[in-house]
Amino acid sequence: MELPDSVYDRVEASIDVLAANPGLARSYDPTYEAARPPMPCQYYAVPRTTKVMYLVVNENDSSLAMLFLGDAREDPRHRFDRMEH
């Protein structure tokens, strides 16, 4: 996914914010099965963009890994189709 510089900067800033405050990410639990990712994750909407970061948080070692960068405008039934797993 190509991002304009301004969006890239906001995604990068959001990663820094989440690294310091992982509790800002929310559990991703969609209503319908077709929108479920291949593994449990959390999400964080990147401010002033349409981008959404899907994350795996490991509370045992306080690590945060980006699973997928999506777009809120995507069809939720196919959101994770292009993700390799």
Side-chain angles (χ1 to χ4, degrees):
M1 171 185 308
E2 285 190 38
L3 301 174
D5 289 342
S6 62
V7 173
Y8 183 86
D9 292 344
R10 289 184 180 118
V11 169
E12 222 175 33
S14 292
I15 291 169
D16 292 340
V17 167
L18 285 169
N21 305 285
L24 293 175
R26 299 289 174 231
S27 292
Y28 181 67
D29 188 20
T31 306
Y32 36 92
E33 190 65 34
R36 294 204 185 280
M39 65 187 64
C41 66
Q42 296 183 327
Y43 74 98
Y44 180 80
V46 178
R48 299 186 335 238
T49 73
T50 60
K51 303 305 178 215
V52 179
M53 295 189 303
Y54 296 90
L55 314 151
V56 175
V57 178
N58 184 337
E59 294 181 12
N60 293 333
D61 66 1
S62 300
S63 67
L64 180 73
M66 176 144 4
L67 176 66
F68 184 74
L69 178 64
D71 195 298
R73 301 170 295 181
E74 293 173 306
D75 181 343
R77 297 170 298 162
H78 302 287
R79 182 168 285 144
F80 299 101
D81 288 354
R82 62 188 158 91
M83 184 178 147
E84 294 179 21
H85 41 91

